[in-house]
Amino acid sequence: MSATSIRAIVLVCLFGAVVLAVEVLVRWFASSRAGDKAINLRLQMIGRGRSHGEAMNLLRRTESAIPQGLPPIIDGWARKLERTLMQAQVTMATPRLMLIVLVAPLVVFFLLILSMAASDMGISFGRILICMAFSAGIAGFLPLMVLNWKANKNRKKIQDQFPIALDVFVRGLRAGHPIAAALDLLTVEMPDPIGSQFGIAVDEVTYGAELRDSLQSMAERWDLDDMRMFVVSLSVQSETGGNLAEILENLSKVIRDRQSMMMKVRALSSEGRMTAVMLTVLPVFTFVMLFLFNSSFFLDVANDPWFVPGFTFLFVLYLIGYFTIRKMVDLKV
């Protein structure tokens, strides 16, 4: 057999191997995506084998009960954190998550102290303070900031989705579906986060709760006036009668007009909101990155007598600026 024939056979075999490998990769990708075809997180959890009750409890976060008897300030922070985790669609229990958030900075702090001791670097109060600040920033503050960003993103998304959900609900009513069936239509037609939230309400009704109470709980969890108006419309219609489809269609128009006004306000305040974001994130991000890539920039001056009061004063100024700017850009429409 000539060298040309051998080369041709090798090329054909190589081509066949590449085609086979590509086909295997495509099939693996398609099969892996098949389990994620569910339109929202609730349906994905049910598709993975969880019951409706388990999915409802995880998304509603009823297993993460806040202990009773906490001081008012701590209780308020705990409830705010619980709502943030629910809006961010975190399914991990709050005690476990808080344990991770509290332990991670301690682990980073002790690793820094051990590395300083291993490198024969002197340990002083200033260096301990700067290591504590770095540990709290990278393992505590930044993860909580990401959770808060995700919660705000989902909250804005559910505001944008709500008029569309009302339109789907109205079309279901006009097609002859009862209210419960029209709501169940939203659980399979709407993506996250509003699809999962209506799914929680439908599951609560299935387990014996009143429809009005379930929808009111959903409105309170997300603290949205649009949902409260929806609940009031259903309550008034159930007591006095009337064309519910027409009522909700008018409500959808009112919500869209209100959102249009809110978008104008957001456009006019975009500069201030972006300034608030930059002034909040940039100092922490700069400090963490500088400490990671050039830790001697801080550690070499940490032994100076003025370092501790100066660093503490800067931290206090940062907190004052954070709360002041946040209050300035928190516009109510």
Short mmCIF file of all heavy atoms in Angstrom, two decimals, residues 6-55:
data_model
loop_
_atom_site.label_atom_id
_atom_site.label_comp_id
_atom_site.label_asym_id
_atom_site.label_seq_id
_atom_site.Cartn_x
_atom_site.Cartn_y
_atom_site.Cartn_z
N ILE A 6 -2.24 5.32 2.52
CA ILE A 6 -2.21 5.30 3.99
C ILE A 6 -2.61 6.67 4.53
O ILE A 6 -3.39 6.77 5.49
CB ILE A 6 -0.82 4.89 4.47
CG1 ILE A 6 -0.52 3.44 4.06
CG2 ILE A 6 -0.71 5.05 5.99
CD1 ILE A 6 0.88 2.98 4.41
N ARG A 7 -2.10 7.72 3.92
CA ARG A 7 -2.45 9.07 4.37
C ARG A 7 -3.94 9.35 4.19
O ARG A 7 -4.58 9.95 5.05
CB ARG A 7 -1.63 10.10 3.59
CG ARG A 7 -1.87 11.54 4.01
CD ARG A 7 -0.99 12.49 3.23
NE ARG A 7 0.43 12.22 3.47
CZ ARG A 7 1.43 12.85 2.87
NH1 ARG A 7 1.15 13.79 1.96
NH2 ARG A 7 2.68 12.56 3.14
N ALA A 8 -4.51 8.88 3.07
CA ALA A 8 -5.94 9.09 2.84
C ALA A 8 -6.77 8.35 3.88
O ALA A 8 -7.77 8.87 4.40
CB ALA A 8 -6.31 8.64 1.43
N ILE A 9 -6.38 7.10 4.21
CA ILE A 9 -7.12 6.32 5.22
C ILE A 9 -7.03 7.00 6.58
O ILE A 9 -8.02 7.08 7.32
CB ILE A 9 -6.56 4.88 5.26
CG1 ILE A 9 -6.88 4.15 3.95
CG2 ILE A 9 -7.15 4.12 6.45
CD1 ILE A 9 -6.24 2.78 3.84
N VAL A 10 -5.84 7.50 6.93
CA VAL A 10 -5.67 8.19 8.21
C VAL A 10 -6.53 9.43 8.28
O VAL A 10 -7.18 9.71 9.30
CB VAL A 10 -4.18 8.52 8.43
CG1 VAL A 10 -4.02 9.44 9.64
CG2 VAL A 10 -3.37 7.25 8.63
N LEU A 11 -6.57 10.20 7.19
CA LEU A 11 -7.39 11.41 7.17
C LEU A 11 -8.87 11.09 7.29
O LEU A 11 -9.63 11.78 7.99
CB LEU A 11 -7.12 12.20 5.88
CG LEU A 11 -5.74 12.86 5.78
CD1 LEU A 11 -5.55 13.54 4.42
CD2 LEU A 11 -5.54 13.88 6.90
N VAL A 12 -9.32 10.01 6.59
CA VAL A 12 -10.73 9.61 6.69
C VAL A 12 -11.06 9.18 8.12
O VAL A 12 -12.12 9.53 8.67
CB VAL A 12 -11.03 8.49 5.68
CG1 VAL A 12 -12.41 7.89 5.93
CG2 VAL A 12 -10.94 9.02 4.25
N CYS A 13 -10.18 8.39 8.72
CA CYS A 13 -10.40 7.95 10.10
C CYS A 13 -10.41 9.14 11.06
O CYS A 13 -11.24 9.19 11.99
CB CYS A 13 -9.32 6.95 10.52
SG CYS A 13 -9.41 5.37 9.65
N LEU A 14 -9.50 10.08 10.82
CA LEU A 14 -9.47 11.27 11.67
C LEU A 14 -10.75 12.08 11.52
O LEU A 14 -11.32 12.56 12.51
CB LEU A 14 -8.25 12.11 11.31
CG LEU A 14 -8.02 13.37 12.15
CD1 LEU A 14 -7.82 13.01 13.62
CD2 LEU A 14 -6.82 14.16 11.64
N PHE A 15 -11.21 12.21 10.27
CA PHE A 15 -12.46 12.94 10.03
C PHE A 15 -13.64 12.25 10.73
O PHE A 15 -14.49 12.88 11.35
CB PHE A 15 -12.71 13.05 8.53
CG PHE A 15 -14.02 13.69 8.18
CD1 PHE A 15 -14.19 15.07 8.28
CD2 PHE A 15 -15.10 12.91 7.76
CE1 PHE A 15 -15.41 15.65 7.95
CE2 PHE A 15 -16.32 13.49 7.45
CZ PHE A 15 -16.47 14.87 7.55
N GLY A 16 -13.69 10.92 10.63
CA GLY A 16 -14.76 10.17 11.28
C GLY A 16 -14.72 10.31 12.79
O GLY A 16 -15.76 10.43 13.45
N ALA A 17 -13.51 10.31 13.36
CA ALA A 17 -13.38 10.46 14.81
C ALA A 17 -13.85 11.84 15.27
O ALA A 17 -14.52 11.97 16.30
CB ALA A 17 -11.92 10.23 15.22
N VAL A 18 -13.51 12.87 14.48
CA VAL A 18 -13.94 14.23 14.84
C VAL A 18 -15.46 14.34 14.76
O VAL A 18 -16.11 14.91 15.64
CB VAL A 18 -13.25 15.26 13.91
CG1 VAL A 18 -13.87 16.64 14.13
CG2 VAL A 18 -11.76 15.29 14.18
N VAL A 19 -16.05 13.77 13.67
CA VAL A 19 -17.51 13.82 13.53
C VAL A 19 -18.18 13.09 14.70
O VAL A 19 -19.18 13.55 15.27
CB VAL A 19 -17.93 13.23 12.18
CG1 VAL A 19 -19.46 13.06 12.12
CG2 VAL A 19 -17.45 14.11 11.05
N LEU A 20 -17.65 11.93 15.07
CA LEU A 20 -18.22 11.15 16.18
C LEU A 20 -18.10 11.92 17.49
O LEU A 20 -19.05 11.94 18.30
CB LEU A 20 -17.51 9.80 16.27
CG LEU A 20 -18.02 8.85 17.35
CD1 LEU A 20 -19.48 8.48 17.08
CD2 LEU A 20 -17.15 7.59 17.40
N ALA A 21 -16.95 12.55 17.72
CA ALA A 21 -16.77 13.32 18.96
C ALA A 21 -17.72 14.50 19.03
O ALA A 21 -18.31 14.78 20.08
CB ALA A 21 -15.31 13.79 19.06
N VAL A 22 -17.89 15.18 17.88
CA VAL A 22 -18.83 16.32 17.86
C VAL A 22 -20.25 15.86 18.13
O VAL A 22 -21.01 16.49 18.87
CB VAL A 22 -18.73 17.05 16.50
CG1 VAL A 22 -19.85 18.07 16.37
CG2 VAL A 22 -17.37 17.74 16.37
N GLU A 23 -20.63 14.72 17.54
CA GLU A 23 -21.99 14.20 17.76
C GLU A 23 -22.20 13.83 19.22
O GLU A 23 -23.27 14.10 19.79
CB GLU A 23 -22.23 12.99 16.86
CG GLU A 23 -23.65 12.45 16.97
CD GLU A 23 -23.88 11.27 16.04
OE1 GLU A 23 -22.93 10.91 15.32
OE2 GLU A 23 -25.00 10.73 16.06
N VAL A 24 -21.20 13.22 19.84
CA VAL A 24 -21.31 12.87 21.26
C VAL A 24 -21.45 14.12 22.12
O VAL A 24 -22.28 14.18 23.04
CB VAL A 24 -20.09 12.03 21.69
CG1 VAL A 24 -20.07 11.87 23.21
CG2 VAL A 24 -20.12 10.67 21.02
N LEU A 25 -20.66 15.15 21.82
CA LEU A 25 -20.74 16.38 22.59
C LEU A 25 -22.09 17.07 22.41
O LEU A 25 -22.67 17.57 23.38
CB LEU A 25 -19.61 17.33 22.17
CG LEU A 25 -18.19 16.94 22.61
CD1 LEU A 25 -17.17 17.91 22.02
CD2 LEU A 25 -18.09 16.93 24.13
N VAL A 26 -22.60 17.07 21.17
CA VAL A 26 -23.90 17.70 20.92
C VAL A 26 -25.01 16.96 21.66
O VAL A 26 -25.90 17.57 22.27
CB VAL A 26 -24.18 17.76 19.40
CG1 VAL A 26 -25.63 18.17 19.15
CG2 VAL A 26 -23.24 18.75 18.73
N ARG A 27 -24.98 15.64 21.63
CA ARG A 27 -26.01 14.86 22.32
C ARG A 27 -25.91 15.05 23.84
O ARG A 27 -26.93 15.13 24.52
CB ARG A 27 -25.87 13.38 21.97
CG ARG A 27 -26.27 13.06 20.54
CD ARG A 27 -26.46 11.58 20.36
NE ARG A 27 -26.94 11.27 19.02
CZ ARG A 27 -27.34 10.07 18.63
NH1 ARG A 27 -27.29 9.06 19.49
NH2 ARG A 27 -27.77 9.87 17.41
N TRP A 28 -24.68 15.10 24.36
CA TRP A 28 -24.52 15.33 25.80
C TRP A 28 -25.04 16.70 26.19
O TRP A 28 -25.73 16.85 27.21
CB TRP A 28 -23.05 15.20 26.17
CG TRP A 28 -22.79 15.59 27.60
CD1 TRP A 28 -22.97 14.85 28.72
CD2 TRP A 28 -22.30 16.87 28.06
NE1 TRP A 28 -22.64 15.57 29.84
CE2 TRP A 28 -22.23 16.80 29.47
CE3 TRP A 28 -21.91 18.05 27.40
CZ2 TRP A 28 -21.78 17.87 30.23
CZ3 TRP A 28 -21.47 19.10 28.17
CH2 TRP A 28 -21.41 19.02 29.55
N PHE A 29 -24.75 17.71 25.37
CA PHE A 29 -25.22 19.05 25.67
C PHE A 29 -26.75 19.12 25.59
O PHE A 29 -27.40 19.74 26.43
CB PHE A 29 -24.60 20.06 24.69
CG PHE A 29 -24.98 21.48 24.94
CD1 PHE A 29 -24.44 22.19 26.00
CD2 PHE A 29 -25.90 22.12 24.13
CE1 PHE A 29 -24.79 23.50 26.23
CE2 PHE A 29 -26.27 23.42 24.34
CZ PHE A 29 -25.71 24.12 25.41
N ALA A 30 -27.31 18.46 24.58
CA ALA A 30 -28.77 18.47 24.44
C ALA A 30 -29.44 17.74 25.60
O ALA A 30 -30.46 18.19 26.12
CB ALA A 30 -29.17 17.83 23.11
N SER A 31 -28.86 16.62 26.03
CA SER A 31 -29.45 15.90 27.16
C SER A 31 -29.31 16.66 28.46
O SER A 31 -30.19 16.62 29.32
CB SER A 31 -28.80 14.52 27.30
OG SER A 31 -27.41 14.65 27.57
N SER A 32 -28.18 17.37 28.63
CA SER A 32 -28.01 18.17 29.85
C SER A 32 -28.94 19.35 29.87
O SER A 32 -29.41 19.77 30.94
CB SER A 32 -26.56 18.64 29.97
OG SER A 32 -26.22 19.52 28.90
N ARG A 33 -29.26 19.91 28.70
CA ARG A 33 -30.18 21.03 28.64
C ARG A 33 -31.63 20.58 28.75
O ARG A 33 -32.51 21.37 29.07
CB ARG A 33 -30.00 21.80 27.34
CG ARG A 33 -28.67 22.51 27.20
CD ARG A 33 -28.58 23.69 28.10
NE ARG A 33 -29.52 24.72 27.73
CZ ARG A 33 -29.68 25.85 28.39
NH1 ARG A 33 -28.98 26.06 29.49
NH2 ARG A 33 -30.55 26.76 27.99
N ALA A 34 -31.87 19.31 28.50
CA ALA A 34 -33.25 18.82 28.54
C ALA A 34 -33.84 18.92 29.94
O ALA A 34 -35.02 19.16 30.12
CB ALA A 34 -33.31 17.37 28.05
N GLY A 35 -32.99 18.73 30.97
CA GLY A 35 -33.49 18.84 32.34
C GLY A 35 -33.72 20.26 32.77
O GLY A 35 -34.34 20.49 33.81
N ASP A 36 -33.22 21.23 32.00
CA ASP A 36 -33.38 22.64 32.36
C ASP A 36 -34.40 23.34 31.47
O ASP A 36 -34.42 24.55 31.39
CB ASP A 36 -32.02 23.37 32.23
CG ASP A 36 -31.00 22.82 33.20
OD1 ASP A 36 -31.43 22.30 34.25
OD2 ASP A 36 -29.80 22.91 32.90
N LYS A 37 -35.26 22.56 30.78
CA LYS A 37 -36.24 23.18 29.91
C LYS A 37 -37.40 23.78 30.67
O LYS A 37 -38.21 24.49 30.09
CB LYS A 37 -36.76 22.14 28.89
CG LYS A 37 -35.76 21.83 27.77
CD LYS A 37 -36.37 20.86 26.78
CE LYS A 37 -35.39 20.58 25.64
NZ LYS A 37 -35.94 19.61 24.67
N ALA A 38 -37.52 23.44 31.95
CA ALA A 38 -38.60 24.02 32.75
C ALA A 38 -38.44 25.53 32.77
O ALA A 38 -37.34 26.07 32.91
CB ALA A 38 -38.56 23.46 34.16
N ILE A 39 -39.57 26.22 32.66
CA ILE A 39 -39.52 27.66 32.44
C ILE A 39 -39.18 28.43 33.70
O ILE A 39 -38.74 29.57 33.63
CB ILE A 39 -40.87 28.14 31.85
CG1 ILE A 39 -40.74 29.52 31.23
CG2 ILE A 39 -41.96 28.11 32.90
CD1 ILE A 39 -41.92 29.94 30.42
N ASN A 40 -39.36 27.84 34.88
CA ASN A 40 -39.03 28.54 36.12
C ASN A 40 -38.44 27.57 37.13
O ASN A 40 -38.46 26.35 36.94
CB ASN A 40 -40.25 29.29 36.69
CG ASN A 40 -41.44 28.38 36.89
OD1 ASN A 40 -41.35 27.37 37.58
ND2 ASN A 40 -42.58 28.74 36.28
N LEU A 41 -37.93 28.13 38.22
CA LEU A 41 -37.20 27.34 39.21
C LEU A 41 -38.11 26.33 39.90
O LEU A 41 -37.68 25.21 40.20
CB LEU A 41 -36.58 28.29 40.25
CG LEU A 41 -35.78 27.64 41.38
CD1 LEU A 41 -34.62 26.83 40.83
CD2 LEU A 41 -35.27 28.71 42.34
N ARG A 42 -39.35 26.70 40.16
CA ARG A 42 -40.27 25.77 40.83
C ARG A 42 -40.47 24.51 40.00
O ARG A 42 -40.42 23.39 40.51
CB ARG A 42 -41.61 26.47 41.08
CG ARG A 42 -42.71 25.55 41.58
CD ARG A 42 -43.99 26.33 41.82
NE ARG A 42 -45.13 25.46 42.02
CZ ARG A 42 -45.89 25.00 41.04
NH1 ARG A 42 -45.62 25.35 39.78
NH2 ARG A 42 -46.91 24.20 41.30
N LEU A 43 -40.70 24.67 38.69
CA LEU A 43 -40.89 23.51 37.83
C LEU A 43 -39.60 22.70 37.70
O LEU A 43 -39.65 21.47 37.58
CB LEU A 43 -41.38 23.95 36.45
CG LEU A 43 -42.77 24.62 36.42
CD1 LEU A 43 -43.13 25.02 35.01
CD2 LEU A 43 -43.82 23.69 36.99
N GLN A 44 -38.45 23.37 37.73
CA GLN A 44 -37.19 22.64 37.69
C GLN A 44 -37.01 21.78 38.94
O GLN A 44 -36.58 20.63 38.86
CB GLN A 44 -36.03 23.63 37.56
CG GLN A 44 -35.93 24.33 36.23
CD GLN A 44 -34.79 25.34 36.19
OE1 GLN A 44 -33.91 25.32 37.03
NE2 GLN A 44 -34.82 26.23 35.21
N MET A 45 -37.37 22.33 40.10
CA MET A 45 -37.24 21.57 41.35
C MET A 45 -38.20 20.38 41.35
O MET A 45 -37.84 19.29 41.79
CB MET A 45 -37.52 22.49 42.54
CG MET A 45 -36.49 23.60 42.70
SD MET A 45 -36.93 24.81 43.95
CE MET A 45 -36.82 23.80 45.43
N ILE A 46 -39.42 20.58 40.84
CA ILE A 46 -40.37 19.47 40.77
C ILE A 46 -39.88 18.43 39.77
O ILE A 46 -40.01 17.22 39.99
CB ILE A 46 -41.77 20.01 40.39
CG1 ILE A 46 -42.32 20.89 41.52
CG2 ILE A 46 -42.73 18.87 40.11
CD1 ILE A 46 -43.61 21.59 41.19
N GLY A 47 -39.29 18.89 38.65
CA GLY A 47 -38.77 17.96 37.67
C GLY A 47 -37.60 17.14 38.17
O GLY A 47 -37.35 16.03 37.69
N ARG A 48 -36.88 17.67 39.18
CA ARG A 48 -35.76 16.92 39.77
C ARG A 48 -36.19 15.96 40.86
O ARG A 48 -35.35 15.33 41.49
CB ARG A 48 -34.73 17.89 40.32
CG ARG A 48 -34.04 18.73 39.26
CD ARG A 48 -33.10 19.72 39.88
NE ARG A 48 -32.59 20.67 38.90
CZ ARG A 48 -32.39 21.95 39.14
NH1 ARG A 48 -32.68 22.45 40.33
NH2 ARG A 48 -31.92 22.74 38.21
N GLY A 49 -37.49 15.86 41.10
CA GLY A 49 -37.97 14.86 42.06
C GLY A 49 -38.55 15.41 43.34
O GLY A 49 -39.04 14.64 44.17
N ARG A 50 -38.52 16.71 43.56
CA ARG A 50 -39.09 17.27 44.78
C ARG A 50 -40.62 17.36 44.65
O ARG A 50 -41.14 17.56 43.55
CB ARG A 50 -38.52 18.66 45.07
CG ARG A 50 -37.04 18.66 45.40
CD ARG A 50 -36.59 20.04 45.83
NE ARG A 50 -35.17 20.09 46.12
CZ ARG A 50 -34.63 19.78 47.30
NH1 ARG A 50 -35.43 19.43 48.30
NH2 ARG A 50 -33.33 19.84 47.50
N SER A 51 -41.29 17.23 45.77
CA SER A 51 -42.74 17.35 45.76
C SER A 51 -43.13 18.82 45.69
O SER A 51 -42.31 19.72 45.88
CB SER A 51 -43.33 16.71 47.02
OG SER A 51 -42.92 17.42 48.18
N HIS A 52 -44.42 19.08 45.43
CA HIS A 52 -44.91 20.45 45.38
C HIS A 52 -44.72 21.13 46.74
O HIS A 52 -44.38 22.32 46.81
CB HIS A 52 -46.39 20.45 44.98
CG HIS A 52 -46.61 20.11 43.55
ND1 HIS A 52 -46.78 21.06 42.56
CD2 HIS A 52 -46.67 18.91 42.91
CE1 HIS A 52 -46.96 20.48 41.39
NE2 HIS A 52 -46.90 19.17 41.57
N GLY A 53 -44.95 20.39 47.82
CA GLY A 53 -44.79 20.98 49.15
C GLY A 53 -43.35 21.34 49.46
O GLY A 53 -43.08 22.40 50.04
N GLU A 54 -42.40 20.48 49.08
CA GLU A 54 -40.99 20.78 49.33
C GLU A 54 -40.54 21.99 48.53
O GLU A 54 -39.83 22.87 49.05
CB GLU A 54 -40.14 19.56 48.98
CG GLU A 54 -40.31 18.38 49.92
CD GLU A 54 -39.53 17.17 49.46
OE1 GLU A 54 -39.11 17.14 48.27
OE2 GLU A 54 -39.35 16.25 50.26
N ALA A 55 -40.94 22.05 47.26
CA ALA A 55 -40.58 23.20 46.44
C ALA A 55 -41.20 24.48 47.01
O ALA A 55 -40.55 25.54 47.04
CB ALA A 55 -41.03 22.98 45.00
#
